[in-house]
């Protein structure tokens, strides 16, 4: 049994941030840390004190965590970025919110004495004899200390304090991973042992000029060493204990959504009965209106959890190669239950959410091929475009010209012209992309077209079959990507105010195209009228495109597994990185990194000089035993990571790679960690530095083969649709939803009135634990009884493993 800790967080927006620039504004971005490890960085929103980010992350933490912090920074082109404020949430505070946290939180000041991190290894012994008492503290080493100096290191020393006694270690310069190996002794009076004061070990950064900087402390209550005269181990460093002072909103606030999910994952065999019921629901159902495991699940999921459940189901059926029958089953039910074609798929039902998540899961590369060139062009041109007369700002368009400033009419005419050019480019790119569209998407749309045509066959509903497809394709896939390209990885940064307005107007126009122009002129935005002719002119080509899109042989496509998007041969991630040249003469750090193109699959990590280069170097993912960040002082370079591999002889080899920014660094770290997460030979420790000039830059040890001085990490942050399949985790999610709604299902499907129960007592017997239903002497296992029995069996299995865990904690595998 394995533990699985997942942290979902969304950085929505900020408000009333203080101005840090001379222009009276700020350029804010957020850094997200888990236990002081940077796991995410938002884009910078330029010149805005009320920024909107809307960025969300899924963080998998196999080893758990203590705290989650959000630090708001102001980006500066010259010099260091300014700190605006931060918010810190403990694991306990997040876990206490059963439905998750969703609120505005005031930023607090950043106190250097509170910004501590790392651990210290100590051994304490209390020696007693008839004359004196000695407290012997062996200060062995520390790891991951906070960098306090401009070099990215510290000059740490430790101090042991008890009552009025104290002793200090030596100072070890320029390291965050000091090895002291020193023994400090405090001579105590017998009466001092009766006092309740703790033993305190403080770590400081020595400074030649000014005050020393605090790096953290450990407090050991007297009760600990009274019980055991010998204590030894790693201890987490804690801050001074000053409570964070709410600045009363003077530093602004963040709106955050945070949710913690902690699960115990059973072995696969326990989930198979539930998988079987889910598969049975969509394989040749005799009647989609009959009760099935899927219909019962849909009855108990909440509005808040519907999107997560939809994504989970898409992954499960992708893994089973049944995603098309699954979507067809949900869509057929939705179509059959709709009487007014104008309301078809307009709600956020399970079928709508499933189609939406399915397109993201299998169609992201396709979307990038179609939209990225146009989106890049819009960002580069930065045209001022505005159609709404109430929002035209002529002051922003003043220019030195013989003709003078543009009038409002000229602005509108110019805007219409540019929007027509952009919209034409988008539509042409889409309608010419039939062959680029993933076959599994085309088959899903073909089935949807068929179901809608069967239900709404009247001549007046001729367009409904097109609207059903275009509603998903244009309104729920392409238009949102145009509106917020950063959230679809089309851009690394959010758009500025001017470009955002252009994208919004373009997305509105594309939505009208997706609606086949049927709602033009009915809204309040009459200033969009100049675009109506091009929208109506596009309708015919869009219909022709949709006809070609679904013109595909269903049987031929089904011969290819629909999970091919996640199969080993498919590239998980690729792109240019800087690779450190380890062979040959040692060069200066800035010249030792060479540009190489990298490919990552679930089987290999390979690289070459260019994407078209014939010769590739590669390492097997099975050989990976560590994927970690590298300290900045190792090469005097930022955003460097390392992939540690082990050959058949047990020798370790390291590939150093530099990314262009912290976001790209986190993406590559997460992707490689995810594909290697089940490797058998993962290291418990590593060196965050490099072995250069005869010693490690991190711990200053000379031996190249010395044990790593820092713990390895396993956190991964990936978008929902980027996560590789993990059937056990996904099925556990479905089980939890069913468990929460079990009472509702029992009441609906298994309880009968007293009169009916008396009349049918001899003919009908229900036994939930045994999953029996006896009707007229014949055993019939109805779906509700079987599903409820599976839920009960899974609950019993969880309880049994929890009892075993209490008896033997080693039975739980921590890093699922």
């Amino acid at each position: 049994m394995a533990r699985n800790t997942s942290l979902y967080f969304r950085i929505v927006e900020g408000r009333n941030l203080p101005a840090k620039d001379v222009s009276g504004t700020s350029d804010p971005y957020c850094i997200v840390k888990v236990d002081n490890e940077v796991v995410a960085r938002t884009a910078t929103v330029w010149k805005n004190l009320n920024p909107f980010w809307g960025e969300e992350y899924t963080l998998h933490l196999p080893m758990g965590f203590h705290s989650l912090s959000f630090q708001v920074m102001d980006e500066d082109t010259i010099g260091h970025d300014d700190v605006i404020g931060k918010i810190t949430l403990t694991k306990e505070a997040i876990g206490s919110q059963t439905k998750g946290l969703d609120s505005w939180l005031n930023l607090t000041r950043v106190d250097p004495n509170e910004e501590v991190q790392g651990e210290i290894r100590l051994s304490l012994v209390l020696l007693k004899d008839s004359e004196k008492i000695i407290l012997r503290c062996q200060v062995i080493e520390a790891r991951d200390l906070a960098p306090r100096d401009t070099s990215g290191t510290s000059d740490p020393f430790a101090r042991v304090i008890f009552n009025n006694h104290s002793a200090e270690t030596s100072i070890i310069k320029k390291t965050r991973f000091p090895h002291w190996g020193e023994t400090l002794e405090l001579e105590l009076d017998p009466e001092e042992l009766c006092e309740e004061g703790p033993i305190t070990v403080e770590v400081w950064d020595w400074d030649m000029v000014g005050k020393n900087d605090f790096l953290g402390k450990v407090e050991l209550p007297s009760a600990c060493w009274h019980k055991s005269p010998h204590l030894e181990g790693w201890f987490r460093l804690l801050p001074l204990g000053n409570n964070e002072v709410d600045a009363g909103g003077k530093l602004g606030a963040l709106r955050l959504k945070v949710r913690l999910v902690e699960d115990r994952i059973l072995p696969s065999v326990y989930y198979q009965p539930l998988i079987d019921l889910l598969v049975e629901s969509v394989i040749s159902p005799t009647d989609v209106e009959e009760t099935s495991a899927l219909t019962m699940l849909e009855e108990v999921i909440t509005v808040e959890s519907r999107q997560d459940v939809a994504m989970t189901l898409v992954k499960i059926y992708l893994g089973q190669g049944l995603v098309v029958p699954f979507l067809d089953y949900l869509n057929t039910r939705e179509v059959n239950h709709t009487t007014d074609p104008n309301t078809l798929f307009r709600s956020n039902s399970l079928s709508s959410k499933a189609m939406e998540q399915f397109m993201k899961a299998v169609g992201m590369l396709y979307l990038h091929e179609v939209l990225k060139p146009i989106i890049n062009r819009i960002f580069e041109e930065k045209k001022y475009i505005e159609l709404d007369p109430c929002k035209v700002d002529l002051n922003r368009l003043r220019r030195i010209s013989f003709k003078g400033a543009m009038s409002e009419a000229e602005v509108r005419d110019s805007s219409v012209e540019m929007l027509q050019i952009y919209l034409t480019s988008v539509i042409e790119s889409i309608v010419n992309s039939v062959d680029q569209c993933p076959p599994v998407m085309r088959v899903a749309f073909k089935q949807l077209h068929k179901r809608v045509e069967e239900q709404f066959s009247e001549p007046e509903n001729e367009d409904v079959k097109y609207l059903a497809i275009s509603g998903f394709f244009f309104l729920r896939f392409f238009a949102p990507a145009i509106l917020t390209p950063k959230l679809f990885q089309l851009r690394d940064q959010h758009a500025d105010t001017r470009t955002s307005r252009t994208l919004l107007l373009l997305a509105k126009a594309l939505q009208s195209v997706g609606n086949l122009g049927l709602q033009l002129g009915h809204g309040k935005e009459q200033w969009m009228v100049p675009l109506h002719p091009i929208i109506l002119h596009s309708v015919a080509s869009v219909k022709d495109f949709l006809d070609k899109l679904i013109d595909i042989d269903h049987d031929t496509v089904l011969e290819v597994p629909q999970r091919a998007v996640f199969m080993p041969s498919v590239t998980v991630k690729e792109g240019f990185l800087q690779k450190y040249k380890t062979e040959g003469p040692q060069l200066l750090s800035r010249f030792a990194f060479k540009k190489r193109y990298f490919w990552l699959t679930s089987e290999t990590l390979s690289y070459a000089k260019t994407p078209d280069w014939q010769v590739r170097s590669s390492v097997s993912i099975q050989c990976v035993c560590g994927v970690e960040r590298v300290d900045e002082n190792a090469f005097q370079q930022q955003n460097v990571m390392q992939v540690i591999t082990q050959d058949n002889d047990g020798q370790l080899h390291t590939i150093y790679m530099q990314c262009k920014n912290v976001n790209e660094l986190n993406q590559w770290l997460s992707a490689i960690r995810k594909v290697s997460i089940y490797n058998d030979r993962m290291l418990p420790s590593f060196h965050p530095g490099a072995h250069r000039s005869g010693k490690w830059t991190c711990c200053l040890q000379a031996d190249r083969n010395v044990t790593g001085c820092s713990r390895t990490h396993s956190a991964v942050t990936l978008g929902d649709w980027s996560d590789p399949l993990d059937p056990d985790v996904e099925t556990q999610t479905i089980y939890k939803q069913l468990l929460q709604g079990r009472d509702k299902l029992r009441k609906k499907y298994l309880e009968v009135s007293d009169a009916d129960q008396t009349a049918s007592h001899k003919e009908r017997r229900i036994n939930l634990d045994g999953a029996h239903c006896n009707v007229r002497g014949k055993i019939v296992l109805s779906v509700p009884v079987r599903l409820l029995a599976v839920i009960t069996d899974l609950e019993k299995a969880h309880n049994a493993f929890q009892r075993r865990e209490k008896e033997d904690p080693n039975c739980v595998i921590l890093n699922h």
Side-chain angles (χ1 to χ4, degrees), residues 26-61:
S26 291
D27 305 312
Y29 65 90
C30 280
I31 292 176
V32 186
K33 295 182 179 180
V34 172
D35 294 343
N36 289 296
E37 181 188 7
V38 177
V39 296
R41 181 203 191 276
T42 69
T44 301
V45 180
W46 303 99
K47 301 185 185 308
N48 201 318
L49 300 180
N50 298 284
F52 176 83
W53 289 289
E55 297 188 25
E56 56 185 300
Y57 302 87
T58 301
L59 182 63
H60 302 288
L61 297 158

Side-chain angles (χ1 to χ4, degrees), residues 409-424:
E410 289 175 323
V411 170
R412 284 173 51 79
D413 290 343
S414 172
S415 298
V416 169
E417 181 182 354
M418 287 308 305
L419 280 174
Q420 287 176 338
I421 292 172
Y422 290 150
L423 183 60
T424 300

Side-chain angles (χ1 to χ4, degrees), residues 465-483:
K465 59 180 180 288
Y466 293 111
L467 288 167
I469 301 174
S470 64
F472 287 116
F473 208 70
F474 288 89
L475 276 63
R476 293 179 183 252
F477 194 44
F478 281 107
I482 291 173
L483 183 63

Side-chain angles (χ1 to χ4, degrees), residues 123-138 160-162 165-167 183-193 199 225-226 228-231:
S123 176
L124 288 93
V125 181
L126 197 62
L127 303 174
K128 301 180 182 179
D129 60 27
S130 57
E131 298 182 359
K132 60 182 179 180
I133 299 173
I134 300 294
L135 175 61
R136 179 176 294 166
C137 178
Q138 186 179 6
V160 181
I161 305 170
F162 180 71
H165 307 279
S166 66
T183 300
L184 307 178
E185 293 186 348
L186 303 180
E187 188 171 333
L188 309 178
D189 296 327
E191 57 270 16
E192 290 183 276
L193 289 181
I199 298 173
W225 47 281
H226 278 311
S228 174
H230 184 195
L231 294 175

Side-chain angles (χ1 to χ4, degrees), residues 12 161 219 221 223 289 307 405 559 637 712 747 756 782:
V12 185
I161 305 170
E219 287 189 347
E289 300 305 321
Q307 180 164 311
E559 292 175 3
Q637 299 286 323
T712 51
K747 185 175 182 180
D756 291 341
S782 66

Side-chain angles (χ1 to χ4, degrees), residues 608-751:
K609 286 188 177 180
T610 66
D612 303 323
W613 200 258
Q614 296 299 319
V615 180
R616 296 187 186 183
S617 301
S618 64
V619 295
S620 171
I621 292 299
Q622 290 184 344
C623 296
V624 173
C625 52
V627 187
E628 300 293 339
R629 288 176 171 82
V630 176
D631 270 0
E632 183 177 337
N633 70 312
F635 300 105
Q636 280 71 53
Q637 299 286 323
Q638 293 181 333
N639 306 316
V640 178
M641 61 178 286
Q642 57 181 310
V643 177
I644 308 166
T645 60
Q646 190 174 42
D647 61 25
N648 294 330
D649 297 327
Q651 293 295 313
L652 298 180
H653 306 275
T654 305
I655 301 174
Y656 295 101
M657 305 180 296
Q658 185 182 25
C659 305
K660 63 183 178 182
N661 55 46
V662 70
N663 278 348
E664 186 178 65
L665 174 67
N666 284 323
Q667 290 166 8
W668 276 99
L669 278 170
S670 296
I672 303 175
R673 283 177 182 173
K674 192 73 176 181
V675 296
S676 62
I677 197 168
Y678 297 117
N679 285 5
D680 297 329
R681 298 182 289 184
M682 301 304 288
L683 297 174
S685 61
F686 79 107
H687 287 285
H691 196 274
R692 305 179 66 203
S693 303
K695 63 181 179 181
W696 287 99
T697 59
C698 45
C699 57
L700 310 181
Q701 299 293 302
D703 184 359
R704 179 184 288 272
N705 299 316
V706 70
T707 303
C709 56
S710 181
R711 283 191 307 172
T712 51
H713 302 85
S714 52
V716 294
T717 50
L718 291 175
D720 286 340
W721 54 82
S722 302
D723 277 347
L725 299 178
D726 194 339
D728 296 341
V729 172
E730 291 143 13
T731 315
Q732 170 68 16
T733 301
I734 300 302
Y735 156 68
K736 285 181 63 179
Q737 291 289 327
L738 290 168
L739 183 65
Q740 292 173 3
R742 180 171 58 179
D743 291 341
K744 179 180 179 180
L745 296 176
R746 278 177 169 168
K747 185 175 182 180
K748 177 174 181 178
Y749 291 102
L750 299 182
E751 288 186 4

Side-chain angles (χ1 to χ4, degrees), residues 161-175:
I161 305 170
F162 180 71
N163 285 349
N164 294 321
H165 307 279
S166 66
E168 294 181 357
T169 67
S170 59
I171 300 167
I172 301 182
K173 294 187 176 181
K174 296 184 178 180
T175 180

